[in-house]
Amino acid sequence: MKVHAKSNEDVFEKMSVGEAVRTMAVPAVAAQLIVLIYNLADTFYVGRTNNPFMVAGVSLILPLFNVAVAVGALFGAGGGALLPRLLAVDRKDEATRVSAYCLRLGLLTAAAFALLILLFMRPLLHLLGAGENTFGYARQYVLMVLVLGGIPTICSNVLSNLIRSLGLSRESGIGVALGGVLNLALDPLFMFVILPKGCEVLGVGIATLLSGIISCAYCLFVFRKKQKVIGVNLTVPLPETESRRRVFLVGIPSSIGGLLFDLDYMVLDKLMSGYGDIPLAAIGIVLKAERLPQQTGIGLCQAMVPLVAYSYAKRDFRRVRRIMARILGIGLAMALISITVYELFPHQIMRLFIADPATLEIGVKFLRIRSLAAGIMFFCFFVVFLYQAIGNGVMSMALVVLRWLVLNIPMLFLLNRLMGMVGLVWSQVISDVISVILSYAILAKSMKSWQSEADREGERIGQ
């Protein structure tokens, strides 16, 4: 127990900013890249069938899968942002109660989510754009991945966030990555060996389900191993009312952000389905291929949250600014590399998923356009995660609503009307440019306020 606590203090306080960022970011980013592979694996292997209807059926489920992740974020992100701040002021008992509280609610909401998907599966799939050729495949996949796999998917999200918030980024990363590695191995086994031809989508669904269960089991094992720090006993008392309020204050914007991100994909898929199954399959592949900069950015931001939260609670604003600068620089550099790769090698990237000439031709055009949003999209993530780290749920919510409800989703309808299919693809870039300008103005004002507070603190100490 004492050894782990000391290690956590080293990450949050004693390590240099560069070393602390590396310690937290490398496992977090690596785990997110495995998540990327996890998400791409199903589409990749189904694409080997060269059946665009199978590809479209699997791709249609991405929004619903993201809903599951968003549900987990309600308690994972909310509790994960609060725990470092409690540890910074030496309130470990309250941190234990908060972690158990988040896990309890995560289990309940996961069960409710899986039941709702089961009861309303048909209208949901039609809403997402499933047609006569794609409905059967989409149904097989959602039954395995979200109805039977909803609980392990959501609980893994909650647990990995809580574990990372204590400075245990390596353990959290292993838990996240484990599911992706297993999925890579099990997909071809179930698709091409165990199940007969024509059941490829069912095969990847079963493989994804099993991978999720094993990943969740590992996270529970780590959670139990660290129980003296974060608590696994679901019978511990409830945390204080203020702590519960703070979990939801940050968790709700994080969850809603994921849901609105998901809604944006749903609207895009629905509008694109009006142009036929081939464009729908193409945009489904592109939305997964563009996840490289997205998942990298999310990993960096996840690593930033506990570091900033702890230092902010300690009122060490100088360290907060240095952490921010380091994360932002790394994220923008990696986004630039991603854009370069997508612009130079779009054909090769698309061929990794499908060889159908019609889908390939449209997909290359879509990928080159959508990839331009990588850098500006990272900055949008960065600012939202930053406000979550400091517990400012109101500002986090405002930025989420601004980006999705005010800008991105309305832009889809507007550009679809003005430019048609191509307008749908350009909408992300245009709306995110506006979002970045507004987010930067808000962040600059906050940083000026932090500097003033730091100056006042320095004057007080000097007196």
Side-chain angles (χ1 to χ4, degrees):
M1 162 63 185
K2 292 182 179 179
V3 172
H4 291 304
K6 177 108 171 26
S7 176
N8 295 344
E9 290 175 4
D10 287 344
V11 173
F12 290 131
E13 291 185 338
K14 298 179 182 179
M15 288 183 181
S16 67
V17 167
E19 187 179 1
V21 167
R22 285 194 302 273
T23 300
M24 293 295 291
V26 171
V29 171
Q32 287 302 315
L33 292 179
I34 297 296
V35 168
L36 171 64
I37 296 172
Y38 178 85
N39 289 331
L40 294 180
D42 291 353
T43 304
F44 172 80
Y45 284 118
V46 173
R48 297 305 90 199
T49 66
N50 279 323
N51 185 330
F53 304 122
M54 284 188 176
V55 173
V58 171
S59 299
L60 281 170
I61 307 308
L62 178 60
L64 287 179
F65 185 84
N66 287 339
V67 170
V69 174
V71 172
L74 175 60
F75 308 108
L82 178 59
L83 291 183
R85 300 202 302 275
L86 291 172
L87 294 176
V89 294
D90 200 25
R91 300 194 63 199
K92 293 182 181 179
D93 289 342
E94 182 67 2
T96 297
R97 290 190 288 268
V98 167
S99 64
Y101 174 72
C102 291
L103 181 56
R104 282 196 294 262
L105 291 184
L107 286 168
L108 290 174
T109 54
F113 172 81
L115 180 60
L116 287 173
I117 294 293
L118 177 63
L119 293 176
F120 300 101
M121 186 185 303
R122 181 172 293 274
L124 278 173
L125 293 181
H126 285 309
L127 180 65
L128 291 173
E132 180 181 353
N133 296 315
T134 58
F135 180 85
Y137 298 125
R139 183 180 181 277
Q140 291 176 5
Y141 192 66
V142 77
L143 182 63
M144 292 293 106
V145 175
L146 294 178
V147 175
L148 298 179
I151 291 178
T153 295
I154 292 173
C155 288
S156 294
N157 186 297
V158 175
L159 289 165
S160 63
N161 273 281
L162 296 179
I163 293 168
R164 187 189 308 108
S165 70
L166 301 172
L168 303 171
S169 186
R170 179 175 174 271
E171 289 85 345
S172 174
I174 291 174
V176 173
L178 184 60
V181 173
L182 288 172
N183 200 43
L184 275 176
L186 294 178
D187 268 354
L189 179 64
F190 279 94
M191 286 180 66
F192 306 122
V193 179
I194 296 178
L195 297 182
K197 185 176 177 60
C199 296
E200 289 84 357
V201 171
L202 179 61
V204 298
I206 294 173
T208 302
L209 168 63
L210 293 177
S211 302
I213 291 173
I214 296 172
S215 176
C216 184
Y218 172 83
C219 289
L220 283 170
F221 169 77
V222 174
F223 206 57
R224 181 175 180 81
K225 186 178 179 182
K226 309 297 181 182
Q227 62 181 322
K228 292 182 180 179
V229 182
I230 55 179
V232 71
N233 186 354
L234 299 183
T235 64
V236 298
L238 289 174
E240 297 173 358
T241 302
E242 178 62 18
S243 294
R244 298 200 300 271
R245 187 185 74 84
R246 289 185 178 276
V247 167
F248 283 96
L249 187 64
V250 172
I252 288 176
S254 179
S255 183
I256 289 179
L259 292 173
L260 292 179
F261 178 90
D262 193 52
L263 179 60
D264 180 75
Y265 271 25
M266 288 182 184
V267 172
L268 176 57
D269 278 342
K270 185 65 175 179
L271 293 175
M272 191 64 75
S273 68
Y275 296 97
D277 287 326
I278 300 302
L280 180 61
I283 196 63
I285 293 173
V286 169
L287 291 178
K288 290 204 170 187
E290 71 177 13
R291 294 296 290 270
L292 174 62
Q294 288 181 17
Q295 297 300 139
T296 301
I298 289 172
L300 285 169
C301 292
Q302 287 178 340
M304 174 185 70
V305 168
L307 294 174
V308 167
Y310 191 95
S311 295
Y312 187 84
K314 287 284 190 180
R315 317 313 287 169
D316 188 351
F317 298 110
R318 181 171 179 270
R319 188 173 174 90
V320 168
R321 289 194 299 271
R322 292 176 62 195
I323 293 168
M324 289 169 54
R326 184 63 62 95
I327 293 290
L328 188 58
I330 295 172
L332 291 178
M334 297 187 77
L336 180 60
I337 293 171
S338 298
I339 293 172
T340 303
V341 171
Y342 285 141
E343 293 297 327
L344 292 178
F345 307 107
H347 293 84
Q348 292 86 342
I349 293 171
M350 289 298 298
R351 285 197 188 97
L352 290 174
F353 300 97
I354 197 166
D356 177 65
T359 309
L360 186 64
E361 180 181 0
I362 297 175
V364 166
K365 296 177 183 177
F366 288 178
L367 182 59
R368 278 183 162 151
I369 296 171
R370 293 274 304 189
S371 67
L372 296 175
I376 49 181
M377 188 179 294
F378 170 73
F379 188 83
C380 293
F381 288 147
F382 173 82
V383 178
V384 171
F385 273 84
L386 177 65
Y387 281 109
Q388 290 176 8
I390 66 175
N392 192 337
V394 174
M395 185 58 70
S396 178
M397 175 70 82
L399 290 170
V400 163
V401 170
L402 170 68
R403 186 182 180 203
W404 297 114
L405 285 184
V406 177
L407 295 173
N408 286 48
I409 295 174
M411 192 70 70
L412 281 170
F413 289 100
L414 176 63
L415 294 187
N416 182 51
R417 188 175 185 84
L418 296 178
M419 301 170 61
M421 183 171 64
V422 177
L424 292 174
V425 186
W426 272 107
S427 64
Q428 184 77 57
V429 181
I430 296 173
S431 57
D432 272 358
V433 167
I434 301 172
S435 181
V436 161
I437 293 172
L438 296 174
S439 297
Y440 178 81
I442 294 169
L443 179 59
K445 184 176 180 180
S446 293
M447 292 187 67
K448 185 176 180 181
S449 172
W450 297 345
Q451 183 62 52
S452 298
E453 187 172 348
D455 292 341
R456 290 194 299 270
E457 184 69 15
E459 291 175 0
R460 185 188 66 79
I461 294 174
Q463 289 176 352

